[in-house]
Amino acid sequence: MVTIGEIARAAGVSISTVSKSLNGYKEISDQTRNRVKKIAEQMGYTPNAAAQSLVLKRANTIGIVYEVESGLKNLFFAAVLESFRKHIQSKGYDILLLSNNTESKLDYLKHSHSKNVDAVLVISTDESYEAVKKLFNSDLAVLSLDPKEDIHNTIYSDSYSAIRKSCNYLYELGHRKIAFINGSYQNFIGLERLRGYLDFMKEKGLEPLYLKNRSNESYTFHEGYQTMKALFEAYGLPDAVCTVSDLMAMGAIQFFNNHGYHVPKDVSIIGFDDLDICEITTPQLTTIRQDYEEIGLRASEALIEMLDKHIRMLEPIVIDTKIVVRDSCLKNTKY
């Protein structure tokens, strides 16, 4: 096993200079740091995590809050987590899934402290929002992907503008009777998507077709099917349907298929997320693409910046979206 002493002899510098170069101390010049790192790499040096933890006063471990019900079953969250894992591990960090065990009273914060976690990415929360609030009120660097309110230390897609893009796309195809399959009415993202829909319909002088008293918390195929069923019973056949998830859009398509209607000949449908399955459904789904790769990258950069600069508050990071046009929407020739 290569030691920093051997690297120091090969580089012609002191052990202290090697240690500071490998640990990113700014008092070492870029030229020296890069030369030492190159020699260390050529010699096959692997840093000792425990030693680095003592030097840097941190363990290079990022905790992940990822609830089973709303997290592991959500394909978008899974894609973001994979992007984040790839980028954060390339910077030398490990990730640790955090638990909120109410029986043992080991909540997220206590779990983080027991494992020497440096920072936390909150990907999804279920019934544990109070435990998450403890994280935000602690001395840890914390970033949330699924905020319940518009606050600092959050990263998310511009949902308000995204839904307006969806509605405008349908409007430009000639659709006027545009129904909306909503998400949650309990968090910021769900309410932003509803606001985008209602504002667009109001601006165009169109009647909003949505369910005021139905909050969908899981964004699933089943919720999409049941919401479409209720919308159909309340308003009849729409020209088009704007949805807040690809799985919900697929549930709506299944509802129409079961009741003798064809998508997109009878009704156009647009999704939200751009999951891989959009390309293998029938019809292939036109949707809003959330850039999960960019979200994962920016989340990793933000947490590292908070650690390196010893800051604990960031302005919200808002990621743009775009429409991916496939086969589930057609021009309306009724009017």
Side-chain angles (χ1 to χ4, degrees):
M1 180 177 177
V2 178
T3 67
I4 61 173
E6 292 170 327
I7 297 170
R9 285 192 293 272
V13 298
S14 68
I15 290 176
S16 175
T17 297
V18 172
S19 177
K20 290 179 178 180
S21 295
L22 295 177
N23 288 302
Y25 278 68
K26 294 182 179 180
E27 62 196 71
I28 304 299
S29 69
D30 290 342
Q31 181 180 1
T32 299
R33 184 187 304 110
N34 292 335
R35 187 167 68 87
V36 169
K37 285 185 175 181
K38 184 176 181 180
I39 292 172
E41 184 178 349
Q42 291 171 343
M43 295 177 70
Y45 172 73
T46 302
N48 182 288
Q52 278 197 326
S53 176
L54 289 173
V55 172
L56 296 174
K57 294 183 176 59
R58 64 191 200 213
N60 279 15
T61 301
I62 308 296
I64 305 292
V65 172
Y66 196 47
E67 289 290 350
V68 172
E69 277 301 312
S70 55
L72 294 176
K73 295 181 180 180
N74 187 304
L75 297 179
F76 170 71
F77 286 155
V80 172
L81 177 58
E82 173 56 22
S83 171
F84 177 81
R85 181 203 62 77
K86 177 176 64 179
H87 291 296
I88 205 73
Q89 289 185 344
S90 73
K91 300 298 184 182
Y93 289 83
D94 292 324
I95 63 172
L96 174 71
L97 291 179
L98 298 176
S99 62
N100 182 48
N101 192 322
T102 54
E103 291 183 7
S104 65
K105 297 184 179 180
L106 186 71
D107 60 18
Y108 294 131
L109 182 59
K110 289 180 180 178
H111 193 185
S112 297
H113 286 158
S114 71
K115 297 297 183 180
N116 294 321
V117 164
D118 303 304
V120 177
L121 176 65
V122 180
I123 291 184
S124 63
T125 60
D126 193 10
E127 301 300 323
S128 56
Y129 187 57
E130 291 303 314
V132 170
K133 285 173 68 174
K134 286 186 180 180
L135 289 171
F136 276 100
N137 293 329
S138 73
D139 58 350
L140 294 172
V142 183
L143 187 70
S144 175
L145 175 67
D146 187 31
K148 288 189 175 294
E149 51 189 322
D150 184 16
I151 57 174
H152 56 270
N153 292 28
T154 54
I155 180 169
Y156 50 84
S157 296
D158 188 351
S159 288
Y160 176 81
S161 296
I163 290 298
R164 290 180 62 90
K165 287 178 189 175
S166 292
C167 292
N168 191 61
Y169 177 74
L170 296 172
Y171 185 86
E172 290 185 346
L173 286 176
H175 301 297
R176 298 295 181 265
K177 192 177 180 182
I178 303 172
F180 182 63
I181 293 183
N182 61 284
S184 174
Y185 292 158
Q186 311 301 319
N187 65 27
F188 171 68
I189 298 299
L191 291 173
E192 279 294 275
R193 294 178 187 180
L194 174 64
R195 186 169 71 89
Y197 170 74
L198 293 177
D199 283 356
F200 181 88
M201 299 297 279
K202 182 178 180 179
E203 288 173 15
K204 298 299 182 182
L206 302 175
E207 179 190 2
L209 312 176
Y210 75 110
L211 303 177
K212 297 178 182 179
N213 299 317
R214 183 188 182 97
S215 181
N216 293 311
E217 305 304 324
S218 301
Y219 297 73
T220 59
F221 179 96
H222 176 73
E223 283 183 336
Y225 188 100
Q226 294 300 321
T227 303
M228 191 64 252
K229 179 176 182 292
L231 285 167
F232 184 82
E233 291 170 352
Y235 300 108
L237 182 68
D239 297 338
V241 182
C242 173
T243 74
V244 298
S245 89
D246 291 336
L247 293 180
M248 297 179 91
M250 292 170 195
I253 291 172
Q254 186 63 54
F255 171 82
F256 287 121
N257 288 342
N258 289 353
H259 290 81
Y261 296 102
H262 184 274
V263 176
K265 290 181 181 178
D266 297 315
V267 57
S268 291
I269 295 183
I270 188 166
F272 198 113
D273 286 333
D274 195 30
L275 303 175
D276 290 342
I277 55 175
C278 292
E279 296 184 296
I280 60 175
T281 58
T282 302
Q284 291 187 349
L285 188 65
T286 294
T287 189
I288 290 288
R289 173 176 292 166
Q290 294 201 81
D291 194 342
Y292 54 82
E293 184 68 28
E294 179 72 7
I295 294 173
L297 170 62
R298 295 283 296 278
S300 67
E301 291 175 341
L303 284 175
I304 291 173
E305 178 186 6
M306 293 173 76
L307 291 172
D308 288 346
K309 295 183 178 179
H310 304 287
I311 57 177
R312 292 297 178 264
M313 187 175 294
L314 290 177
E315 290 298 312
I317 302 169
V318 184
I319 309 297
D320 199 11
T321 62
K322 69 177 182 179
I323 290 181
V324 179
V325 177
R326 295 192 180 97
D327 303 328
S328 62
C329 298
L330 276 182
K331 189 174 181 63
N332 189 352
T333 57
K334 298 176 186 175
Y335 304 115

